[in-house]
Amino acid sequence: MDPKDSTRLPLNQRPAWKALQSHFQSIGTKHLRDLFAEDPARGQRFTAETDGIFLDYSKNRVTSETLRLLVALAEESGLRAKIEAMFRGDKINLTENRAVLHVALRAPKSERIVVDGEDVIPGVHAVLDKMASFANRIRSGEWKGHTGKPIRNVVNIGIGGSDLGPVMAYEALKHYSQRNLTFRFVSNVDGTDFAEAVRDLSPDETLFLVASKTFTTQETMTNANSARAWSLSGLGGDQSAVAKHFVAISTNAKLVASFGIDTENMFGFWDWVGGRYSMDSAIGLSTMIAIGPENFRDLLSGFHAMDVHFRTAPFEKNLPVLLGLLTLWYTDFFDAQTIAVLPYEQYLKRFPAYLQQLTMESNGKHVTLAGKPVTAQTGPVFWGEPGTNGQHSFYQLIHQGTRLIPCDFIGFSKSLNPLGRHHDMLMANVFAQAEALAFGKSAEQVRAEGTPEWLVPHRVFEGNRPSNILLADALTPAVLGQLVALYEHSVFTQGAIWNIDCFDQWGVELGKVLATKILAELESPTEPAISHDSSTTSLIRRYRASK
Ligand code: F6P
């Protein structure tokens, strides 16, 4: 398949798109109350399940016809062929001429995926084995620091995909972690991040994982250099200490070596793993040290189970496809600007932040693979907070504001920390919020409660706010893998229909280039010639005068 195929119709000229436009005229304002009244079995019918992940999407503003047309749009957009192209290792990241094979990171040893004439699976498993043996040595105390003490603190230094996955997974799977080890994550170039992360740590018990695909990222290299200085000054300045207290996770062996890290202590990955798709590569080393190799393998098996489902299930029953199509339905037809992700699980507190990079760096694109302007809105803004906390801050706007904000609720049947009635209360709130959003409370209902007439409008809930509910048994490593892969493939589904490159991120470049130029101007010992716009120039001068 040639993704530049000029015979493929632009999105807004595909028959299913046009059919969806006219279908939207008839259903766009229809209330969920009516949809449920017309179809009492809706709550059972609009559901899908795979390997213990259950999706109830009945509280969405869709009918069977909507789904039929959305699936037709996916077919017309070549989604099936695009999925195969990804799994096969085709170079579908067109603008960087790369394969996109995060699915290979969790494929079993028996699989064979060839990139540039080489089967990548043996290399994946070799790195996993090397990670496992290293993780076991840290966890058991066998690996000793420069002064002979075991490692008690692990600090991951990385940013973007080299931070958000590791920190999210550490928080999500803390229940399974080895509690005598302390984990910290340093990402920001703001020195406060590093200073606060290490202030109570002792260098002789601290291991740094420098995680950077490129090993050139300004923030990470600046923090890594500060870490080396901190470590060496606490260990008497002996350069050989670096070997015991630093390991690298990167695709760039040359730069790792020139930083002073022995490439024996380097865990590699490959250019076909995108940063935001890398938490199950060696970038997950902190996760593996925290939860152990067995649990890490369970995490990978969860990812893989969702990969198989995405690749093989019919679109009507395919969770990532359904989630992706619903996102596109609201983004492109209802003009929804954002999607809220609301995990009712405290351990998933960083999941929305993780999804922000996954979804927005992937689908924040304005041109198609052929370089033409897209003809529809692309990636919506993803955001969220764990419930029930969010209910006491921003839910007001979702319930009664003027914007349509589709929500994904995530809940579990069992708590990892059963405590009295807590979990039933938590889950009661999931079901209540989704019900309130969908059905609201009419003026008649408000009046019937004896509310004075002037107050009635304030107490009315229009309802008709859509949501998905994702349920699983408990937050295990495998379930986390399934959830992450679910969103990865939902992103892919949307990108396939928009016909954009989900795997590049050129939008981050300009700011990086300008920051390098401005940094020199901020640090110049003599007054530099500054030729930015008048705003930027005055800001630089003001900062120079006051710093
Ligand atoms: O901000 C752009 C980006 O390239 C992300 O895509 C990536 O996850 C992050 O920077 C970190 O990159 P690296 O792992 O190469 O340091």
XYZ file of all heavy atoms in Angstrom, residues 149-233:
657
model
N 28.283 -0.160 48.748
C 26.922 -0.257 49.302
C 25.917 -0.635 48.210
O 26.084 -0.221 47.052
C 26.501 1.096 49.879
C 27.171 1.459 51.170
C 26.396 2.617 51.749
C 27.022 3.113 53.020
N 26.409 4.365 53.445
N 24.869 -1.366 48.565
C 23.841 -1.649 47.541
C 23.077 -0.378 47.160
O 23.055 0.596 47.922
C 22.910 -2.651 48.228
C 23.199 -2.560 49.677
C 24.567 -1.972 49.858
N 22.463 -0.431 45.991
C 21.661 0.713 45.501
C 20.309 0.726 46.219
O 19.635 -0.301 46.309
C 21.440 0.579 43.972
C 22.775 0.654 43.227
C 20.439 1.611 43.450
C 23.554 1.941 43.402
N 19.955 1.900 46.722
C 18.632 2.036 47.360
C 17.735 3.025 46.616
O 16.529 3.040 46.807
C 18.795 2.534 48.811
C 19.681 1.643 49.657
C 19.669 2.113 51.094
N 18.364 1.882 51.708
C 18.010 0.728 52.271
N 18.845 -0.285 52.307
N 16.822 0.580 52.807
N 18.362 3.861 45.779
C 17.592 4.903 45.075
C 17.841 4.809 43.569
O 18.997 4.718 43.148
C 18.018 6.300 45.527
C 18.189 6.380 47.035
O 17.262 6.047 47.766
N 19.373 6.774 47.483
N 16.776 4.877 42.821
C 16.904 4.851 41.361
C 16.284 6.139 40.826
O 15.118 6.441 41.110
C 16.171 3.626 40.771
C 16.246 3.634 39.247
C 16.755 2.333 41.336
N 17.097 6.914 40.078
C 16.606 8.184 39.543
C 16.611 8.100 38.024
O 17.665 7.958 37.403
C 17.488 9.378 40.002
C 16.923 10.692 39.459
C 17.595 9.418 41.524
N 15.428 8.160 37.429
C 15.332 8.161 35.964
C 15.414 9.601 35.477
O 14.660 10.466 35.925
C 13.986 7.554 35.531
C 13.901 7.346 34.026
O 14.434 6.365 33.509
N 13.254 8.259 33.317
N 16.366 9.844 34.584
C 16.474 11.181 33.973
C 16.056 11.058 32.516
O 16.682 10.330 31.737
C 17.926 11.709 34.074
C 18.326 11.873 35.538
C 18.062 13.027 33.324
C 19.752 12.368 35.729
N 15.017 11.750 32.140
C 14.533 11.704 30.761
C 13.384 12.687 30.640
O 12.931 13.245 31.647
N 12.905 12.901 29.440
C 11.777 13.828 29.264
C 10.883 13.315 28.144
O 11.320 12.497 27.321
C 12.283 15.279 29.012
C 11.171 16.314 29.251
C 12.893 15.439 27.614
C 11.666 17.752 29.406
N 9.650 13.790 28.087
C 8.714 13.320 27.053
C 8.505 11.826 27.215
O 8.297 11.321 28.325
N 8.650 11.103 26.131
C 8.435 9.658 26.173
C 9.443 8.936 27.048
O 9.205 7.805 27.476
N 10.567 9.570 27.332
C 11.577 8.930 28.171
C 11.345 9.224 29.651
O 12.181 8.884 30.500
C 12.971 9.398 27.733
O 13.167 9.068 26.379
N 10.234 9.867 29.935
C 9.858 10.181 31.326
C 8.400 9.803 31.609
O 8.102 9.142 32.603
C 10.038 11.693 31.566
C 9.389 12.159 32.850
O 9.885 11.805 33.932
O 8.361 12.869 32.789
N 7.508 10.236 30.729
C 6.077 10.123 31.045
C 5.613 8.676 31.184
O 4.803 8.366 32.061
C 5.249 10.856 29.972
C 5.360 12.374 30.049
C 4.897 13.020 28.747
C 4.541 12.918 31.215
N 6.138 7.797 30.319
C 5.798 6.367 30.442
C 6.353 5.800 31.729
O 5.623 5.207 32.540
N 7.685 5.961 31.968
C 8.248 5.432 33.209
C 7.569 5.959 34.474
O 7.265 5.183 35.384
C 9.718 5.890 33.137
C 10.015 5.907 31.669
C 8.743 6.366 31.017
N 7.300 7.247 34.544
C 6.718 7.764 35.787
C 5.270 7.295 35.922
O 4.824 6.902 37.018
C 6.876 9.303 35.912
C 5.981 10.065 34.992
C 6.631 9.765 37.334
N 4.548 7.284 34.807
C 3.161 6.805 34.867
C 3.128 5.338 35.316
O 2.368 4.957 36.198
C 2.505 6.977 33.492
C 1.060 6.546 33.391
S 0.813 4.774 33.189
C 1.316 4.532 31.490
N 4.000 4.514 34.696
C 3.978 3.076 35.015
C 4.426 2.834 36.453
O 3.884 1.972 37.149
C 4.877 2.317 34.042
N 5.407 3.605 36.928
C 5.847 3.435 38.315
C 4.692 3.737 39.270
O 4.412 2.964 40.204
C 7.051 4.340 38.620
C 7.361 4.352 40.090
C 7.847 3.201 40.721
C 7.098 5.469 40.873
C 8.072 3.175 42.085
C 7.327 5.449 42.230
C 7.807 4.312 42.838
O 8.020 4.279 44.192
N 4.017 4.861 39.018
C 2.888 5.222 39.893
C 1.759 4.194 39.766
O 1.172 3.784 40.764
C 2.356 6.617 39.550
C 3.315 7.758 39.871
C 3.575 7.921 41.366
O 2.802 7.396 42.179
O 4.582 8.581 41.712
N 1.476 3.787 38.530
C 0.354 2.873 38.297
C 0.595 1.524 38.969
O -0.337 0.883 39.450
C 0.127 2.688 36.802
N 1.866 1.096 38.987
C 2.166 -0.254 39.481
C 2.904 -0.239 40.811
O 3.538 -1.225 41.187
C 2.958 -1.020 38.402
C 2.215 -1.145 37.056
C 3.081 -1.821 36.004
C 0.893 -1.918 37.223
N 2.786 0.862 41.517
C 3.481 0.993 42.808
C 3.122 -0.151 43.752
O 3.947 -0.620 44.537
C 3.096 2.338 43.435
C 4.056 2.827 44.480
C 3.542 4.119 45.071
C 4.492 5.253 44.759
N 3.983 6.544 45.223
N 1.887 -0.590 43.663
C 1.422 -1.681 44.518
C 2.329 -2.910 44.393
O 2.479 -3.675 45.345
C -0.010 -2.039 44.109
C -0.615 -3.148 44.901
N -1.065 -2.981 46.192
C -0.834 -4.451 44.596
C -1.544 -4.129 46.647
N -1.411 -5.037 45.699
N 2.907 -3.099 43.200
C 3.710 -4.300 42.928
C 5.205 -4.019 43.103
O 6.040 -4.854 42.788
C 3.462 -4.781 41.491
C 1.994 -5.005 41.206
C 1.183 -3.967 40.743
C 1.405 -6.249 41.438
C -0.171 -4.157 40.514
C 0.051 -6.451 41.209
C -0.736 -5.397 40.755
O -2.071 -5.595 40.544
N 5.544 -2.808 43.553
C 6.957 -2.420 43.534
C 7.692 -2.865 44.789
O 7.082 -3.117 45.836
C 7.081 -0.898 43.381
O 6.627 -0.266 44.552
N 9.002 -2.954 44.642
C 9.847 -3.332 45.786
C 10.028 -2.096 46.658
O 10.689 -1.129 46.264
C 11.199 -3.842 45.276
C 12.056 -4.393 46.391
C 13.225 -5.193 45.848
O 13.061 -6.042 44.989
N 14.416 -4.917 46.361
N 9.453 -2.145 47.861
C 9.310 -0.908 48.635
C 10.580 -0.439 49.319
O 10.611 0.679 49.821
C 8.191 -1.061 49.670
C 6.831 -1.380 49.072
C 6.258 -0.182 48.315
N 4.937 -0.487 47.793
C 3.925 0.368 47.763
N 4.069 1.588 48.215
N 2.767 0.010 47.267
N 11.621 -1.274 49.359
C 12.850 -0.746 49.981
C 13.685 0.038 48.975
O 14.766 0.517 49.304
C 13.677 -1.859 50.640
C 14.239 -2.832 49.615
O 13.854 -2.796 48.459
N 15.159 -3.680 50.047
N 13.198 0.165 47.756
C 13.879 1.005 46.760
C 13.062 2.289 46.566
O 11.837 2.240 46.510
C 13.989 0.271 45.420
C 14.915 -0.944 45.365
C 14.760 -1.668 44.023
C 16.375 -0.522 45.565
N 13.777 3.396 46.452
C 13.114 4.685 46.214
C 13.286 5.047 44.745
O 14.386 4.898 44.196
C 13.784 5.775 47.083
O 13.546 5.430 48.444
C 13.242 7.165 46.809
N 12.212 5.497 44.126
C 12.282 5.897 42.706
C 11.954 7.374 42.565
O 11.010 7.871 43.178
C 11.301 5.067 41.869
C 11.746 3.641 41.728
C 11.466 2.727 42.745
C 12.482 3.223 40.645
C 11.902 1.412 42.651
C 12.932 1.913 40.539
C 12.645 1.000 41.544
N 12.775 8.060 41.778
C 12.519 9.476 41.481
C 12.628 9.666 39.965
O 13.358 8.922 39.293
C 13.530 10.379 42.181
C 13.551 10.235 43.701
C 12.576 11.197 44.381
N 12.281 10.806 45.760
C 13.021 11.122 46.840
N 14.111 11.864 46.707
N 12.659 10.720 48.047
N 11.969 10.698 39.474
C 11.965 10.953 38.028
C 12.269 12.428 37.799
O 11.552 13.297 38.293
C 10.606 10.570 37.434
C 10.321 9.101 37.609
C 9.781 8.614 38.804
C 10.656 8.197 36.618
C 9.552 7.255 38.989
C 10.443 6.830 36.802
C 9.892 6.359 37.989
N 13.351 12.689 37.085
C 13.751 14.072 36.821
C 13.586 14.328 35.327
O 14.130 13.587 34.503
C 15.230 14.301 37.214
C 15.666 15.718 36.843
C 15.431 14.054 38.700
N 12.821 15.370 34.991
C 12.611 15.650 33.568
C 12.886 17.103 33.219
O 13.529 17.397 32.214
C 11.173 15.289 33.174
O 10.248 15.917 34.039
N 12.422 18.029 34.048
C 12.442 19.443 33.677
C 13.849 20.009 33.720
O 14.638 19.676 34.612
C 11.548 20.205 34.663
C 11.098 21.545 34.120
O 11.738 22.124 33.265
N 9.988 22.022 34.631
N 14.142 20.911 32.785
C 15.451 21.576 32.820
C 15.499 22.598 33.965
O 16.581 23.061 34.339
C 15.772 22.227 31.443
C 15.006 23.534 31.244
C 17.277 22.432 31.268
N 14.365 22.921 34.508
C 14.329 23.747 35.733
C 15.109 22.990 36.825
O 14.741 21.877 37.209
C 12.862 23.931 36.153
C 12.707 24.812 37.380
O 13.699 25.006 38.117
O 11.584 25.296 37.610
N 16.183 23.627 37.300
C 17.063 22.967 38.261
C 16.358 22.481 39.520
O 16.846 21.601 40.228
N 15.212 23.065 39.795
C 14.446 22.653 40.970
C 14.077 21.168 40.893
O 14.056 20.473 41.919
C 13.156 23.503 41.069
O 13.560 24.862 41.237
C 12.272 23.090 42.220
N 13.812 20.703 39.694
C 13.397 19.306 39.549
C 14.514 18.384 40.039
O 14.283 17.480 40.855
C 13.057 19.025 38.075
C 12.113 17.838 37.905
O 11.588 17.343 38.912
O 11.909 17.410 36.755
N 15.727 18.640 39.577
C 16.852 17.800 40.002
C 17.145 17.989 41.493
O 17.301 17.020 42.248
C 18.102 18.108 39.158
C 19.281 17.282 39.572
C 19.364 15.949 39.189
C 20.285 17.803 40.387
C 20.433 15.154 39.603
C 21.343 17.026 40.804
C 21.422 15.694 40.409
N 17.192 19.260 41.902
C 17.556 19.556 43.295
C 16.608 18.860 44.270
O 17.044 18.232 45.245
C 17.555 21.065 43.525
N 15.309 18.948 44.002
C 14.343 18.341 44.917
C 14.393 16.808 44.853
O 14.164 16.141 45.851
C 12.925 18.833 44.609
C 12.662 20.264 45.065
C 12.641 20.419 46.595
O 12.394 19.426 47.309
O 12.893 21.542 47.072
N 14.715 16.288 43.659
C 14.739 14.817 43.517
C 15.867 14.195 44.328
O 15.732 13.082 44.829
C 14.863 14.432 42.047
N 16.996 14.905 44.451
C 18.150 14.260 45.100
C 18.445 14.796 46.509
O 19.346 14.292 47.173
C 19.442 14.383 44.234
C 19.244 13.696 42.892
C 19.880 15.838 44.053
N 17.694 15.797 46.949
C 18.098 16.494 48.180
C 18.229 15.567 49.394
O 19.080 15.779 50.244
C 17.190 17.694 48.499
C 15.758 17.363 48.794
C 14.970 18.633 49.078
N 15.381 19.213 50.355
C 14.951 18.791 51.538
N 14.074 17.801 51.592
N 15.371 19.358 52.647
N 17.440 14.510 49.454
C 17.545 13.621 50.606
C 18.179 12.271 50.230
O 18.022 11.292 50.949
C 16.164 13.414 51.237
C 15.146 12.870 50.237
O 15.431 12.897 49.019
O 14.078 12.401 50.665
N 18.867 12.230 49.101
C 19.485 10.965 48.681
C 20.991 11.010 48.905
O 21.602 12.068 48.861
C 19.218 10.674 47.193
C 17.762 10.683 46.729
C 17.682 10.277 45.259
C 16.895 9.751 47.573
N 21.544 9.818 49.074
C 22.977 9.755 49.269
C 23.624 9.196 47.998
O 23.195 8.168 47.470
C 23.115 8.862 50.447
O 23.992 8.414 50.851
N 24.627 9.899 47.448
C 25.195 9.498 46.151
C 25.684 8.051 46.130
O 25.591 7.378 45.104
C 26.364 10.466 45.950
C 26.043 11.649 46.795
C 25.237 11.147 47.958
N 26.200 7.549 47.275
C 26.757 6.191 47.234
C 25.684 5.104 47.131
O 26.000 3.936 46.901
C 27.685 5.933 48.443
C 26.998 6.166 49.770
O 25.852 6.675 49.774
O 27.597 5.837 50.807
N 24.410 5.493 47.287
C 23.331 4.497 47.178
C 22.396 4.823 46.012
O 21.289 4.288 45.940
C 22.507 4.497 48.468
C 23.303 4.056 49.690
C 22.480 4.149 50.970
O 21.564 5.001 51.062
O 22.741 3.359 51.880
N 22.842 5.725 45.139
C 21.934 6.223 44.099
C 22.406 5.847 42.698
O 23.559 6.099 42.340
C 21.795 7.766 44.221
O 21.315 8.062 45.532
C 20.842 8.326 43.188
N 21.486 5.281 41.940
C 21.759 4.900 40.548
C 20.946 5.815 39.627
O 19.748 5.997 39.841
C 21.314 3.454 40.324
C 21.382 2.938 38.887
C 22.828 2.657 38.484
C 20.533 1.672 38.728
N 21.623 6.372 38.619
C 20.912 7.201 37.632
C 20.702 6.407 36.351
O 21.647 5.784 35.836
C 21.712 8.468 37.315
C 21.740 9.440 38.458
C 22.818 9.458 39.349
C 20.693 10.325 38.662
C 22.837 10.345 40.413
C 20.705 11.217 39.727
C 21.777 11.226 40.608
N 19.489 6.441 35.853
C 19.186 5.867 34.537
C 19.013 7.050 33.591
O 18.057 7.820 33.745
C 17.889 5.063 34.571
C 17.669 4.055 35.709
C 16.305 3.372 35.545
C 18.787 3.025 35.741
N 19.941 7.232 32.683
C 19.811 8.345 31.740
C 19.075 7.813 30.508
O 19.615 7.024 29.737
C 21.185 8.938 31.355
C 20.982 10.168 30.463
C 21.974 9.304 32.603
N 17.830 8.250 30.378
C 16.946 7.695 29.349
C 16.720 8.725 28.256
O 16.073 9.752 28.482
C 15.608 7.297 29.987
N 17.273 8.464 27.099
C 17.058 9.373 25.976
C 17.285 8.620 24.682
O 18.387 8.109 24.451
C 18.016 10.568 26.058
O 17.894 11.369 24.908
N 16.278 8.571 23.862
C 16.409 7.864 22.589
C 17.579 8.443 21.795
O 18.429 7.722 21.301
C 15.086 7.993 21.816
C 15.114 7.324 20.464
C 13.733 7.365 19.822
C 13.852 6.902 18.360
N 12.576 6.908 17.659
N 17.615 9.757 21.705
C 18.641 10.410 20.876
C 19.940 10.681 21.632
O 20.994 10.805 21.037
C 18.107 11.771 20.396
O 17.672 12.497 21.563
C 16.951 11.607 19.433
N 19.864 10.816 22.936
C 20.972 11.242 23.793
C 21.476 12.634 23.406
O 22.640 12.971 23.596
C 22.130 10.221 23.778
C 22.543 9.825 25.179
C 21.709 9.061 25.984
C 23.769 10.230 25.715
C 22.066 8.709 27.283
C 24.136 9.885 27.013
C 23.281 9.116 27.792
N 20.571 13.450 22.886
C 20.939 14.834 22.553
C 19.967 15.817 23.189
O 20.175 17.027 23.087
C 20.874 15.077 21.025
O 19.555 14.766 20.585
C 21.880 14.237 20.262
N 18.907 15.333 23.804
C 17.860 16.233 24.296
C 18.411 17.150 25.389
O 19.004 16.685 26.362
C 16.661 15.405 24.812
O 16.255 14.536 23.756
C 15.502 16.267 25.223
N 18.227 18.448 25.167
C 18.872 19.451 26.030
C 18.570 19.235 27.509
O 19.467 19.232 28.352
C 18.408 20.849 25.599
C 19.146 21.976 26.288
C 18.438 23.316 26.090
O 17.231 23.439 26.312
N 19.201 24.316 25.666
N 17.300 19.043 27.826
C 16.907 18.904 29.231
C 17.600 17.695 29.861
O 18.154 17.770 30.966
C 15.393 18.713 29.350
C 14.565 19.921 28.963
C 14.182 19.922 27.489
O 14.901 19.300 26.671
O 13.174 20.565 27.160
N 17.545 16.578 29.153
C 18.072 15.329 29.710
C 19.584 15.396 29.854
O 20.144 14.983 30.889
C 17.649 14.142 28.811
O 16.228 14.138 28.768
C 18.166 12.823 29.343
N 20.256 15.940 28.849
C 21.715 15.972 28.942
C 22.158 16.967 30.024
O 23.140 16.732 30.735
C 22.346 16.304 27.577
C 22.056 15.276 26.487
S 21.862 13.546 27.027
C 23.478 13.168 27.655
N 21.413 18.060 30.176
C 21.759 19.025 31.231
C 21.567 18.368 32.599
O 22.435 18.459 33.482
C 20.868 20.288 31.105
O 21.020 20.775 29.782
C 21.262 21.367 32.096
N 20.456 17.684 32.788
C 20.224 17.005 34.067
C 21.229 15.874 34.293
O 21.692 15.660 35.424
C 18.787 16.449 34.123
C 17.777 17.527 34.495
O 18.042 18.344 35.385
N 16.646 17.546 33.830
N 21.588 15.169 33.214
C 22.561 14.064 33.363
C 23.921 14.617 33.777
O 24.619 14.026 34.620
C 22.666 13.278 32.062
N 24.294 15.745 33.201
C 25.585 16.351 33.581
C 25.557 16.808 35.044
O 26.531 16.625 35.779
C 25.927 17.520 32.657
C 26.511 17.000 31.337
O 27.461 16.205 31.336
N 25.932 17.401 30.225
N 24.441 17.391 35.468
C 24.336 17.816 36.869
C 24.356 16.591 37.788
O 24.941 16.623 38.874
C 23.052 18.607 37.106
O 23.086 19.765 36.313
N 23.741 15.513 37.334
C 23.729 14.284 38.147
C 25.143 13.723 38.279
O 25.554 13.280 39.358
C 22.808 13.252 37.497
N 25.889 13.759 37.182
C 27.264 13.230 37.242
C 28.101 14.077 38.212
O 28.846 13.539 39.035
C 27.888 13.213 35.841
C 29.258 12.564 35.837
C 29.810 12.380 34.450
N 29.716 13.623 33.688
C 29.955 13.717 32.387
N 30.294 12.654 31.701
N 29.843 14.867 31.777
N 27.929 15.402 38.122
C 28.691 16.281 39.025
C 28.286 16.002 40.479
O 29.147 15.896 41.371
C 28.437 17.746 38.664
N 26.993 15.868 40.735
C 26.481 15.607 42.101
C 27.017 14.275 42.611
O 27.484 14.156 43.746
C 24.955 15.593 42.041
C 24.258 15.274 43.333
C 23.946 16.142 44.335
C 23.780 13.978 43.751
N 23.295 15.477 45.349
C 23.186 14.151 45.025
C 23.786 12.708 43.184
C 22.601 13.095 45.735
C 23.209 11.656 43.888
C 22.635 11.847 45.150
N 26.984 13.288 41.741
C 27.407 11.943 42.114
C 28.911 11.937 42.414
O 29.345 11.462 43.478
C 27.067 11.024 40.935
O 27.172 9.707 41.277
N 29.670 12.490 41.488
C 31.131 12.454 41.668
C 31.556 13.266 42.885
O 32.451 12.871 43.628
C 31.848 12.946 40.406
C 31.789 11.970 39.215
C 32.517 12.531 37.999
C 32.372 10.605 39.591
N 30.901 14.410 43.104
C 31.337 15.205 44.260
C 31.012 14.479 45.566
O 31.743 14.602 46.550
C 30.774 16.624 44.225
O 29.521 16.648 44.822
